[in-house]
Amino acid sequence: MSFINYSSKEINCKIVYYGPGLCGKTNNLHYIYKRMNYDARGKMVSLATETERTLFFDFLPLSLGEVRGFKTRFHLYTVPGQVFYDASRRLILRGVDGVVFCADSQLARMDANIESLENLRLNLEEQGYNMGKVPMVIQYNKRDLPDIASVVEMHALLNTRNVPEFEACARTGMGVFETLKAIIKLVLNDLRKGAR
């Protein structure tokens, strides 16, 4: 749920990049951060323990205009990929406004994608969210690798809601900003409707 800061006239929205381990969530955030206007972004924070890492930064896109007289600031998060960090994943999802599900396109990772998507559904439900109503975009990452599933196969397997989907290679930036723009648009539409 977005947080409104009345003193700075900002609406703060939280977007979480979710997916299996090593699917490219961190590469997405690094790519976005490096190409953001320095004055419009906050500091990138890495919350790291011995075995897991979460990235976070916020930015204020100056070209989006206002929602009800307020500027919109976006906070981007990654979750630890491994399912055994479920408590961290649930905590990071708290107050979420939109989700980018980052899927690994490699054929050998299809089971991990399915497991992670189901884990997302359970964690959202546990916090009172309906996954069918949370703004979501799916990114099919690692499209530059050999032995990948076709987009048609991945759509059938992962995109039962028929949400916007993008092919990507987060390492090179292909599809990264298209994915980000799509989730921002969905979150802003949700805000304007006053949904959830």
Side-chain angles (χ1 to χ4, degrees):
M1 212 55 149
S2 53
F3 167 75
I4 299 174
N5 183 334
Y6 289 97
S7 63
S8 64
K9 298 225 22 133
E10 286 181 357
I11 300 173
N12 291 271
C13 298
K14 184 177 189 178
I15 295 173
V16 175
Y17 280 68
Y18 206 98
L22 304 175
C23 69
K25 300 177 298 291
T26 298
N27 282 344
N28 266 279
L29 259 63
H30 278 297
Y31 188 86
I32 293 165
Y33 187 78
K34 286 177 187 170
R35 280 146 189 88
M36 279 279 149
N37 180 339
Y38 180 81
D39 295 329
R41 71 179 193 207
K43 185 177 177 184
M44 182 175 281
V45 177
S46 179
L47 306 173
T49 65
E50 206 173 286
T51 54
E52 67 173 315
R53 181 173 64 160
T54 298
L55 289 180
F56 158 83
F57 76 92
D58 67 313
F59 68 97
L60 182 66
L62 303 173
S63 61
L64 287 179
E66 298 181 346
V67 176
R68 298 182 189 135
F70 287 78
K71 295 176 189 156
T72 310
R73 179 175 298 274
F74 291 92
H75 301 260
L76 303 184
Y77 289 81
T78 62
V79 295
Q82 293 74 18
V83 173
F84 52 87
Y85 295 120
D86 216 29
S88 295
R89 287 174 156 206
R90 279 193 301 273
L91 184 64
I92 293 164
L93 277 174
R94 191 172 294 154
V96 71
D97 293 292
V99 174
V100 172
F101 185 79
C102 189
D104 190 322
S105 293
Q106 295 175 96
L107 288 167
R109 300 291 291 156
M110 289 305 115
D111 287 344
N113 288 329
I114 294 167
E115 180 183 10
S116 185
L117 191 60
E118 176 61 13
N119 179 259
L120 170 62
R121 185 187 66 75
L122 292 171
N123 283 337
L124 286 170
E125 281 180 4
E126 190 172 296
Q127 296 188 49
Y129 292 106
N130 176 341
M131 187 162 151
K133 292 186 177 174
V134 173
M136 187 165 99
V137 170
I138 297 179
Q139 182 187 79
Y140 304 129
N141 195 26
K142 300 189 177 183
R143 300 305 295 169
D144 59 325
L145 297 180
D147 299 323
I148 59 173
S150 73
V151 171
V152 171
E153 292 169 310
M154 294 189 78
H155 176 88
L157 201 61
L158 303 172
N159 198 355
T160 56
R161 279 181 59 193
N162 208 27
V163 299
E165 58 190 7
F166 298 89
E167 292 184 77
C169 175
R171 193 176 43 77
T172 65
M174 178 187 98
V176 170
F177 275 101
E178 292 83 352
T179 302
L180 179 62
K181 287 175 188 170
I183 192 62
I184 285 173
K185 182 178 177 184
L186 290 176
V187 168
L188 287 175
N189 286 343
D190 210 39
L191 263 180
R192 289 184 178 112
K193 286 188 292 189
R196 286 184 284 131

